[in-house]
Amino acid sequence: GDAATTGKVYKIGTDTTFAPFEFQNDAGEFVGIDIDLLNAIAEDQGFEVELQSLGFNAAVQALEAGQVDGVIAGMSITPKRQEKFDFSDPYFDSGVVMGVKEDNEDIKSYEDLAGKKVAVKIGTEGQTFAESIKDEYGFTTVVFDDSNSMYLDVKSGNSVACFEDYPVMGYAISQGSGLKMVTEKEQGSSYGFAVNKGENAELLEMFNAGLANLKESGKYDEILNTYIQE
Ligand code: GLN
């Protein structure tokens, strides 16, 4: 950053737990692809961040209300959100997928959801997708604040399925969440760092410049490889 922005502290809202993008490690430290990228970008560009672990929907609302300067939370760049927010260059490709309990042999397609409950996370692309097909397939939704509660509702058998971003669902499955994926992923949006429309342009510029530098130096790949194995 230039002299005016160097050393400036920005408040950044994030999700509570959305591994491998943001979560607390065994030492209680916030880590993950989003967190490591943000910290590396801040270091590269000479600004400071004050991270606020708010939950996804709460972080987006805090941004709208001007309580934080930016949000990094595996936040999908959608045309609807672009009416309110300016996004950085995309830094990760995603898409929504359906998860069911590991030992569930009954739910194999959206047709099998008829008359059942499906868990979703408030304010997410997964919720938007589920709501868009629920009348067609005849299911109802149960809404949760965070991903873990959503998985637990499926594990407990209250909901028969949930909709989540596939890299996050994939990571949860690899960590023994007790779920499995049974459908192909839906076409999804890429993740971006968000600021309010027309505000914090210098922060967005620094994010993009830092991201480009990390891609160039190999640090971006190094961070991804720390959390995602091929
Ligand atoms: N990528 C999804 C969205 O933007 C979910 C983000 C999240 O749950 N942290 O809606």
Side-chain angles (χ1 to χ4, degrees), residues 117-200:
K117 281 189 267 190
V118 170
V120 296
K121 176 173 166 186
I122 192 155
T124 63
E125 259 201 313
Q127 178 184 23
T128 303
F129 177 71
E131 306 288 356
S132 78
I133 63 164
K134 72 176 184 182
D135 290 344
E136 182 183 354
Y137 294 102
F139 63 86
T140 54
T141 53
V142 193
V143 184
F144 294 92
D145 279 333
D146 62 279
S147 293
N148 284 351
S149 308
M150 182 171 74
Y151 303 153
L152 283 176
D153 202 59
V154 177
K155 262 174 94 172
S156 77
N158 181 52
S159 294
V160 295
C162 62
F163 284 93
E164 173 70 286
D165 291 3
Y166 87 95
V168 174
M169 180 85 79
Y171 189 86
I173 290 169
S174 75
Q175 299 295 302
S177 68
L179 303 183
K180 66 180 176 186
M181 298 189 231
V182 285
T183 53
E184 292 295 310
K185 84 174 167 80
E186 297 292 334
Q187 177 65 41
S189 319
S190 300
Y191 295 164
F193 169 73
V195 296
N196 271 329
K197 208 167 183 58
E199 289 172 34
N200 278 312

Side-chain angles (χ1 to χ4, degrees), residues 15 18 22 56 73-76 81 121 123-125 165 191:
D15 204 339
F18 195 58
E22 42 267 346
F56 181 67
M75 184 172 175
S76 306
R81 288 176 183 162
K121 176 173 166 186
T124 63
E125 259 201 313
D165 291 3
Y191 295 164

Side-chain angles (χ1 to χ4, degrees), residues 16 46-47 51-52 56 65 76 78 90 101 111 115-116 134 144 173 183 187 191-192 204 206 209 229:
T16 45
F47 65 92
L51 203 65
Q52 297 193 6
F56 181 67
S76 306
T78 65
K101 201 175 169 186
E111 279 80 11
K116 311 277 190 205
K134 72 176 184 182
F144 294 92
I173 290 169
T183 53
Q187 177 65 41
Y191 295 164
L204 202 56
M206 289 192 288
Q229 275 78 44

